[in-house]
Amino acid sequence: MEHLQVEVQGERWQVATAGKEGPILLLVHGFPLDHQMWKHQLAGLSSSARLIAPDLSGFGKSESNGTQFSMGSLADQLDSLLNQMQVEQPVIYCGLSMGGYIGWQFWHQHRDRLSAMIMCDTRAAADSPEVARGREMMAARVREEGNQFVAPSMVPKLFAPSTIDAATEVVRETEQVINSTSAEAIAKGQLAMAARSDATGWLAKIDLPTLFVVGTEDAITPAAEMMLVANTVPNSQLCELPHAGHMSPLEQPEAFNSRVIAFLDDR
Ligand code: MLT
């Protein structure tokens, strides 16, 4: 794996890359995380694909120019990143949760850039007014109090109970990533997700091969909701991963990677 520094619309982003040959997989992390959530894919898929895993604006080791972003502006930044990296061939967009919300926008704004999509533990519907209000309150709180309360409140929801009980390294590592995410990135992420568009009206028009992956114990974006989304996208398949919660690529990496390899081979 290599870490590059890439200038993206005036911000210096850190981008992890791996693999030299094959289709290009753009791996877009969830909230409030960074590219490390793809560590098993960066290692295990590198002989099957070329992997590009950025830290989004203000997350991980990427800079932020201080302005509020949106799912749409992050999609535009990902397009600029691919331009900066001189990627010309269509890519496979692979996003988890917030990375999936950005993925719908990426499809809407940059359809020609894509050859397929892998949407993990995500949803297409916008927030209800109550959920959006909760996000605005969290944004205000984190700006006032700092980020210490975020990991303890989020981690139990991110993983399947069995992953937490096993107290695996990935749980500790994810806590560390959340603790090192700035209060400002967390606030902006929440406000951007609260304001995101509803993508449900786009689903029937998505004409790309699409793989949906969800942990059967996902408490944030439940499998039943992903099944409805997958049933609406014409050329799609759904993979439900047992013993995984919201962080399916981290919790069940071997099963996740084999399913992705089969999808790459099938297209
Ligand atoms: C994520 O994993 O990106 C977040 O849980 C998404 C969300 O808060 O809706």
Side-chain angles (χ1 to χ4, degrees), residues 149-161 164 171 175 178 217-220 245-246 251:
F149 69 93
V150 179
S153 71
M154 279 200 76
V155 167
K157 294 185 225 146
L158 289 177
F159 294 99
I164 305 249
V171 176
E175 276 166 353
I178 297 176
E217 297 172 54
D218 189 333
I220 297 180
H246 190 59
E251 296 181 77

PDB file of all heavy atoms in Angstrom, residues 149-161 164 171 175 178 217-220 245-246 251:
ATOM      1  N   PHE A 149     -17.390  12.535  23.137  1.00  0.00           N
ATOM      2  CA  PHE A 149     -18.596  11.720  23.358  1.00  0.00           C
ATOM      3  C   PHE A 149     -18.962  10.899  22.125  1.00  0.00           C
ATOM      4  O   PHE A 149     -19.834  10.041  22.186  1.00  0.00           O
ATOM      5  CB  PHE A 149     -19.783  12.629  23.745  1.00  0.00           C
ATOM      6  CG  PHE A 149     -20.282  13.503  22.619  1.00  0.00           C
ATOM      7  CD1 PHE A 149     -21.319  13.074  21.799  1.00  0.00           C
ATOM      8  CD2 PHE A 149     -19.709  14.752  22.367  1.00  0.00           C
ATOM      9  CE1 PHE A 149     -21.789  13.869  20.752  1.00  0.00           C
ATOM     10  CE2 PHE A 149     -20.163  15.545  21.319  1.00  0.00           C
ATOM     11  CZ  PHE A 149     -21.208  15.100  20.513  1.00  0.00           C
ATOM     12  N   VAL A 150     -18.290  11.161  20.990  1.00  0.00           N
ATOM     13  CA  VAL A 150     -18.761  10.574  19.729  1.00  0.00           C
ATOM     14  C   VAL A 150     -18.464   9.070  19.655  1.00  0.00           C
ATOM     15  O   VAL A 150     -19.366   8.271  19.365  1.00  0.00           O
ATOM     16  CB  VAL A 150     -18.172  11.338  18.520  1.00  0.00           C
ATOM     17  CG1 VAL A 150     -18.634  10.706  17.209  1.00  0.00           C
ATOM     18  CG2 VAL A 150     -18.598  12.814  18.575  1.00  0.00           C
ATOM     19  N   ALA A 151     -17.214   8.680  19.912  1.00  0.00           N
ATOM     20  CA  ALA A 151     -16.887   7.241  19.787  1.00  0.00           C
ATOM     21  C   ALA A 151     -17.732   6.385  20.736  1.00  0.00           C
ATOM     22  O   ALA A 151     -18.334   5.390  20.298  1.00  0.00           O
ATOM     23  CB  ALA A 151     -15.395   7.006  19.998  1.00  0.00           C
ATOM     24  N   PRO A 152     -17.837   6.738  22.042  1.00  0.00           N
ATOM     25  CA  PRO A 152     -18.653   5.884  22.919  1.00  0.00           C
ATOM     26  C   PRO A 152     -20.109   5.780  22.469  1.00  0.00           C
ATOM     27  O   PRO A 152     -20.761   4.753  22.665  1.00  0.00           O
ATOM     28  CB  PRO A 152     -18.560   6.564  24.292  1.00  0.00           C
ATOM     29  CG  PRO A 152     -17.390   7.472  24.212  1.00  0.00           C
ATOM     30  CD  PRO A 152     -17.171   7.820  22.775  1.00  0.00           C
ATOM     31  N   SER A 153     -20.639   6.842  21.845  1.00  0.00           N
ATOM     32  CA  SER A 153     -22.043   6.734  21.439  1.00  0.00           C
ATOM     33  C   SER A 153     -22.193   6.012  20.105  1.00  0.00           C
ATOM     34  O   SER A 153     -23.210   5.375  19.857  1.00  0.00           O
ATOM     35  CB  SER A 153     -22.724   8.111  21.409  1.00  0.00           C
ATOM     36  OG  SER A 153     -22.243   8.860  20.334  1.00  0.00           O
ATOM     37  N   MET A 154     -21.178   6.068  19.245  1.00  0.00           N
ATOM     38  CA  MET A 154     -21.352   5.455  17.913  1.00  0.00           C
ATOM     39  C   MET A 154     -20.899   4.004  17.818  1.00  0.00           C
ATOM     40  O   MET A 154     -21.508   3.208  17.106  1.00  0.00           O
ATOM     41  CB  MET A 154     -20.567   6.256  16.863  1.00  0.00           C
ATOM     42  CG  MET A 154     -21.306   7.494  16.408  1.00  0.00           C
ATOM     43  SD  MET A 154     -20.690   8.101  14.827  1.00  0.00           S
ATOM     44  CE  MET A 154     -21.409   6.929  13.674  1.00  0.00           C
ATOM     45  N   VAL A 155     -19.795   3.663  18.485  1.00  0.00           N
ATOM     46  CA  VAL A 155     -19.199   2.339  18.271  1.00  0.00           C
ATOM     47  C   VAL A 155     -20.171   1.186  18.530  1.00  0.00           C
ATOM     48  O   VAL A 155     -20.250   0.254  17.721  1.00  0.00           O
ATOM     49  CB  VAL A 155     -17.872   2.205  19.068  1.00  0.00           C
ATOM     50  CG1 VAL A 155     -17.390   0.769  19.132  1.00  0.00           C
ATOM     51  CG2 VAL A 155     -16.819   3.078  18.406  1.00  0.00           C
ATOM     52  N   PRO A 156     -20.985   1.232  19.610  1.00  0.00           N
ATOM     53  CA  PRO A 156     -21.914   0.112  19.813  1.00  0.00           C
ATOM     54  C   PRO A 156     -22.901  -0.065  18.662  1.00  0.00           C
ATOM     55  O   PRO A 156     -23.396  -1.164  18.432  1.00  0.00           O
ATOM     56  CB  PRO A 156     -22.659   0.496  21.100  1.00  0.00           C
ATOM     57  CG  PRO A 156     -21.794   1.507  21.767  1.00  0.00           C
ATOM     58  CD  PRO A 156     -21.052   2.217  20.686  1.00  0.00           C
ATOM     59  N   LYS A 157     -23.156   1.009  17.905  1.00  0.00           N
ATOM     60  CA  LYS A 157     -24.097   0.880  16.781  1.00  0.00           C
ATOM     61  C   LYS A 157     -23.395   0.454  15.497  1.00  0.00           C
ATOM     62  O   LYS A 157     -24.034  -0.027  14.562  1.00  0.00           O
ATOM     63  CB  LYS A 157     -24.793   2.228  16.528  1.00  0.00           C
ATOM     64  CG  LYS A 157     -25.697   2.659  17.658  1.00  0.00           C
ATOM     65  CD  LYS A 157     -26.432   3.936  17.282  1.00  0.00           C
ATOM     66  CE  LYS A 157     -26.407   4.913  18.441  1.00  0.00           C
ATOM     67  NZ  LYS A 157     -26.342   6.293  18.128  1.00  0.00           N
ATOM     68  N   LEU A 158     -22.091   0.666  15.433  1.00  0.00           N
ATOM     69  CA  LEU A 158     -21.382   0.380  14.170  1.00  0.00           C
ATOM     70  C   LEU A 158     -21.150  -1.113  13.950  1.00  0.00           C
ATOM     71  O   LEU A 158     -21.076  -1.574  12.807  1.00  0.00           O
ATOM     72  CB  LEU A 158     -20.019   1.089  14.143  1.00  0.00           C
ATOM     73  CG  LEU A 158     -20.026   2.612  13.993  1.00  0.00           C
ATOM     74  CD1 LEU A 158     -18.594   3.156  14.062  1.00  0.00           C
ATOM     75  CD2 LEU A 158     -20.659   3.032  12.667  1.00  0.00           C
ATOM     76  N   PHE A 159     -20.968  -1.857  15.044  1.00  0.00           N
ATOM     77  CA  PHE A 159     -20.561  -3.255  14.912  1.00  0.00           C
ATOM     78  C   PHE A 159     -21.647  -4.210  15.402  1.00  0.00           C
ATOM     79  O   PHE A 159     -22.448  -3.859  16.268  1.00  0.00           O
ATOM     80  CB  PHE A 159     -19.284  -3.503  15.728  1.00  0.00           C
ATOM     81  CG  PHE A 159     -18.095  -2.753  15.196  1.00  0.00           C
ATOM     82  CD1 PHE A 159     -17.689  -1.553  15.759  1.00  0.00           C
ATOM     83  CD2 PHE A 159     -17.383  -3.253  14.108  1.00  0.00           C
ATOM     84  CE1 PHE A 159     -16.592  -0.855  15.256  1.00  0.00           C
ATOM     85  CE2 PHE A 159     -16.296  -2.560  13.600  1.00  0.00           C
ATOM     86  CZ  PHE A 159     -15.895  -1.364  14.176  1.00  0.00           C
ATOM     87  N   ALA A 160     -21.595  -5.443  14.866  1.00  0.00           N
ATOM     88  CA  ALA A 160     -22.474  -6.502  15.370  1.00  0.00           C
ATOM     89  C   ALA A 160     -22.081  -6.798  16.817  1.00  0.00           C
ATOM     90  O   ALA A 160     -20.901  -6.700  17.167  1.00  0.00           O
ATOM     91  CB  ALA A 160     -22.291  -7.757  14.522  1.00  0.00           C
ATOM     92  N   PRO A 161     -23.047  -7.188  17.666  1.00  0.00           N
ATOM     93  CA  PRO A 161     -22.703  -7.505  19.056  1.00  0.00           C
ATOM     94  C   PRO A 161     -21.556  -8.520  19.136  1.00  0.00           C
ATOM     95  O   PRO A 161     -20.672  -8.400  19.990  1.00  0.00           O
ATOM     96  CB  PRO A 161     -24.006  -8.085  19.612  1.00  0.00           C
ATOM     97  CG  PRO A 161     -25.081  -7.480  18.768  1.00  0.00           C
ATOM     98  CD  PRO A 161     -24.497  -7.260  17.407  1.00  0.00           C
ATOM     99  N   ILE A 164     -18.248  -6.803  18.824  1.00  0.00           N
ATOM    100  CA  ILE A 164     -17.913  -6.042  20.039  1.00  0.00           C
ATOM    101  C   ILE A 164     -17.483  -7.012  21.146  1.00  0.00           C
ATOM    102  O   ILE A 164     -16.478  -6.791  21.822  1.00  0.00           O
ATOM    103  CB  ILE A 164     -19.123  -5.223  20.531  1.00  0.00           C
ATOM    104  CG1 ILE A 164     -19.640  -4.328  19.421  1.00  0.00           C
ATOM    105  CG2 ILE A 164     -18.821  -4.497  21.837  1.00  0.00           C
ATOM    106  CD1 ILE A 164     -19.454  -2.862  19.554  1.00  0.00           C
ATOM    107  N   VAL A 171     -12.387  -2.984  16.361  1.00  0.00           N
ATOM    108  CA  VAL A 171     -13.228  -2.113  17.196  1.00  0.00           C
ATOM    109  C   VAL A 171     -12.354  -1.023  17.837  1.00  0.00           C
ATOM    110  O   VAL A 171     -12.673   0.168  17.791  1.00  0.00           O
ATOM    111  CB  VAL A 171     -13.993  -2.924  18.267  1.00  0.00           C
ATOM    112  CG1 VAL A 171     -14.791  -2.008  19.182  1.00  0.00           C
ATOM    113  CG2 VAL A 171     -14.906  -3.962  17.623  1.00  0.00           C
ATOM    114  N   GLU A 175     -12.400   3.053  17.124  1.00  0.00           N
ATOM    115  CA  GLU A 175     -12.522   4.066  18.192  1.00  0.00           C
ATOM    116  C   GLU A 175     -11.421   5.119  18.040  1.00  0.00           C
ATOM    117  O   GLU A 175     -11.665   6.311  18.158  1.00  0.00           O
ATOM    118  CB  GLU A 175     -12.374   3.410  19.567  1.00  0.00           C
ATOM    119  CG  GLU A 175     -13.662   2.814  20.072  1.00  0.00           C
ATOM    120  CD  GLU A 175     -13.434   1.870  21.270  1.00  0.00           C
ATOM    121  OE1 GLU A 175     -12.272   1.581  21.625  1.00  0.00           O
ATOM    122  OE2 GLU A 175     -14.447   1.428  21.806  1.00  0.00           O
ATOM    123  N   ILE A 178     -12.159   7.488  15.189  1.00  0.00           N
ATOM    124  CA  ILE A 178     -13.207   8.472  15.527  1.00  0.00           C
ATOM    125  C   ILE A 178     -12.646   9.526  16.494  1.00  0.00           C
ATOM    126  O   ILE A 178     -12.869  10.725  16.321  1.00  0.00           O
ATOM    127  CB  ILE A 178     -14.448   7.777  16.131  1.00  0.00           C
ATOM    128  CG1 ILE A 178     -15.074   6.838  15.091  1.00  0.00           C
ATOM    129  CG2 ILE A 178     -15.484   8.799  16.622  1.00  0.00           C
ATOM    130  CD1 ILE A 178     -16.250   6.011  15.581  1.00  0.00           C
ATOM    131  N   GLU A 217     -26.678  -7.834  10.744  1.00  0.00           N
ATOM    132  CA  GLU A 217     -26.922  -7.196  12.049  1.00  0.00           C
ATOM    133  C   GLU A 217     -26.691  -5.684  12.008  1.00  0.00           C
ATOM    134  O   GLU A 217     -26.421  -5.070  13.040  1.00  0.00           O
ATOM    135  CB  GLU A 217     -26.038  -7.858  13.105  1.00  0.00           C
ATOM    136  CG  GLU A 217     -26.376  -9.325  13.287  1.00  0.00           C
ATOM    137  CD  GLU A 217     -25.393 -10.048  14.193  1.00  0.00           C
ATOM    138  OE1 GLU A 217     -25.177  -9.588  15.321  1.00  0.00           O
ATOM    139  OE2 GLU A 217     -24.837 -11.079  13.751  1.00  0.00           O
ATOM    140  N   ASP A 218     -26.786  -5.110  10.812  1.00  0.00           N
ATOM    141  CA  ASP A 218     -26.584  -3.663  10.683  1.00  0.00           C
ATOM    142  C   ASP A 218     -27.716  -2.926  11.404  1.00  0.00           C
ATOM    143  O   ASP A 218     -28.877  -3.035  11.024  1.00  0.00           O
ATOM    144  CB  ASP A 218     -26.546  -3.283   9.197  1.00  0.00           C
ATOM    145  CG  ASP A 218     -26.124  -1.838   8.981  1.00  0.00           C
ATOM    146  OD1 ASP A 218     -26.349  -1.005   9.873  1.00  0.00           O
ATOM    147  OD2 ASP A 218     -25.571  -1.546   7.907  1.00  0.00           O
ATOM    148  N   ALA A 219     -27.365  -2.161  12.455  1.00  0.00           N
ATOM    149  CA  ALA A 219     -28.381  -1.455  13.241  1.00  0.00           C
ATOM    150  C   ALA A 219     -28.599  -0.045  12.708  1.00  0.00           C
ATOM    151  O   ALA A 219     -29.528   0.650  13.139  1.00  0.00           O
ATOM    152  CB  ALA A 219     -27.927  -1.385  14.695  1.00  0.00           C
ATOM    153  N   ILE A 220     -27.757   0.422  11.799  1.00  0.00           N
ATOM    154  CA  ILE A 220     -27.869   1.808  11.297  1.00  0.00           C
ATOM    155  C   ILE A 220     -28.607   1.834   9.964  1.00  0.00           C
ATOM    156  O   ILE A 220     -29.500   2.649   9.744  1.00  0.00           O
ATOM    157  CB  ILE A 220     -26.466   2.461  11.187  1.00  0.00           C
ATOM    158  CG1 ILE A 220     -25.820   2.553  12.572  1.00  0.00           C
ATOM    159  CG2 ILE A 220     -26.553   3.837  10.537  1.00  0.00           C
ATOM    160  CD1 ILE A 220     -24.444   3.178  12.612  1.00  0.00           C
ATOM    161  N   GLY A 245     -22.211  -6.199  11.324  1.00  0.00           N
ATOM    162  CA  GLY A 245     -23.108  -5.076  11.534  1.00  0.00           C
ATOM    163  C   GLY A 245     -22.925  -4.078  10.402  1.00  0.00           C
ATOM    164  O   GLY A 245     -22.855  -4.453   9.235  1.00  0.00           O
ATOM    165  N   HIS A 246     -22.809  -2.782  10.794  1.00  0.00           N
ATOM    166  CA  HIS A 246     -22.728  -1.698   9.808  1.00  0.00           C
ATOM    167  C   HIS A 246     -21.372  -1.670   9.095  1.00  0.00           C
ATOM    168  O   HIS A 246     -21.249  -1.121   8.021  1.00  0.00           O
ATOM    169  CB  HIS A 246     -22.971  -0.393  10.577  1.00  0.00           C
ATOM    170  CG  HIS A 246     -23.172   0.812   9.726  1.00  0.00           C
ATOM    171  ND1 HIS A 246     -24.180   0.917   8.790  1.00  0.00           N
ATOM    172  CD2 HIS A 246     -22.493   2.005   9.679  1.00  0.00           C
ATOM    173  CE1 HIS A 246     -24.122   2.121   8.213  1.00  0.00           C
ATOM    174  NE2 HIS A 246     -23.103   2.780   8.731  1.00  0.00           N
ATOM    175  N   GLU A 251     -15.720  -6.241   9.338  1.00  0.00           N
ATOM    176  CA  GLU A 251     -16.124  -7.316  10.251  1.00  0.00           C
ATOM    177  C   GLU A 251     -16.026  -8.697   9.613  1.00  0.00           C
ATOM    178  O   GLU A 251     -15.748  -9.683  10.293  1.00  0.00           O
ATOM    179  CB  GLU A 251     -17.568  -7.071  10.737  1.00  0.00           C
ATOM    180  CG  GLU A 251     -17.711  -5.804  11.554  1.00  0.00           C
ATOM    181  CD  GLU A 251     -19.139  -5.597  12.046  1.00  0.00           C
ATOM    182  OE1 GLU A 251     -19.558  -6.261  13.013  1.00  0.00           O
ATOM    183  OE2 GLU A 251     -19.840  -4.773  11.451  1.00  0.00           O
TER     184      GLU A 251
END
